[in-house]
Amino acid sequence: NIEIAGKDVRPETTRASDLADLVAAMEKSILDTAAHQGIQLPDEAIVSLVEINEGSNRLKLVIAGVAITAAASVSTSIRTQNYDALPVSAHESLHKISNQAASRSWSVKIAADPINGIEEATISPDNPVPSPDSSFLSGTTTLYGGCLTVGGATRPRAQIRLSAGQLLHIDLSEAL
């Protein structure tokens, strides 16, 4: 479940397009994360909006079982403010929700679902999702560390443990 809170936030005062944009961005973050995790997604609804409740905007989403681990990864990334486990496109979708929350002075809260590993997480002007662009480097860079893994059938990635102990995930091109 997702709850949108803010001044005068009610279904009758919130644009349908704003809700649609939020749900579409959340769906994209989950689907892109599932694909990144190697989950084969069936050609059917994976994320569905099944209910909007009164009061604040409480959106009830149903997520197909095949994508629950991806939804859990998304909620954990938001809660911990660590987006390394998500593909850039999922991070961008969450940043889009963050921009929407900031422009509308909303707080967008994902309700915990402990049975499925989904943690409570909030995106708000006080808890924004940073742009994924800020984590990219260009040009020649020298890193010291150990390469832990390299691979990926559809999207090559490397995992490097830096000498200071941090774990770095890098998207690679086939040319590298």
Side-chain angles (χ1 to χ4, degrees):
N1 293 341
I2 297 174
E3 183 173 343
I4 305 167
K7 184 179 180 196
D8 201 33
V9 175
R10 296 186 315 274
E12 61 273 13
T13 61
T14 303
R15 294 179 189 157
S17 60
D18 287 340
L19 292 178
D21 290 345
L22 187 142
V23 171
M26 185 60 68
E27 176 186 44
K28 181 167 176 35
S29 71
I30 293 169
L31 295 179
D32 289 354
T33 300
H36 180 73
Q37 293 173 343
I39 297 170
Q40 295 294 326
L41 298 172
D43 188 23
E44 58 188 51
I46 303 298
V47 179
S48 302
L49 175 63
V50 296
E51 191 175 321
I52 300 176
N53 291 316
E54 290 291 328
S56 62
N57 282 336
R58 283 188 215 104
L59 311 176
K60 183 174 182 179
L61 301 178
V62 173
I63 300 167
V66 69
I68 289 293
T69 58
S73 293
V74 168
S75 70
T76 298
S77 293
I78 296 167
R79 187 188 61 74
T80 63
Q81 292 279 299
N82 182 343
Y83 303 94
D84 292 343
L86 303 182
V88 172
S89 58
H91 187 170
E92 286 171 345
S93 293
L94 295 176
H95 179 66
K96 182 178 176 183
I97 293 170
S98 184
N99 286 343
Q100 186 180 26
S103 71
R104 303 274 190 246
S105 297
W106 285 352
S107 172
V108 179
K109 182 173 104 178
I110 298 171
D113 181 357
I115 293 172
N116 290 308
I118 297 174
E119 301 183 55
E120 182 175 297
T122 302
I123 299 172
S124 68
D126 295 330
N127 191 37
V129 175
S131 169
D133 298 336
S134 63
S135 62
F136 288 98
L137 303 173
S138 64
T140 302
T141 304
T142 302
L143 299 172
Y144 295 98
C147 184
L148 301 176
T149 60
V150 175
T154 59
R155 183 181 213 162
R157 290 180 56 95
Q159 187 178 43
I160 299 170
R161 171 112 22 229
L162 300 177
S163 56
Q166 301 99 329
L167 195 58
L168 180 65
H169 298 274
I170 302 172
D171 289 329
L172 304 170
S173 68
E174 290 185 31
L176 293 175

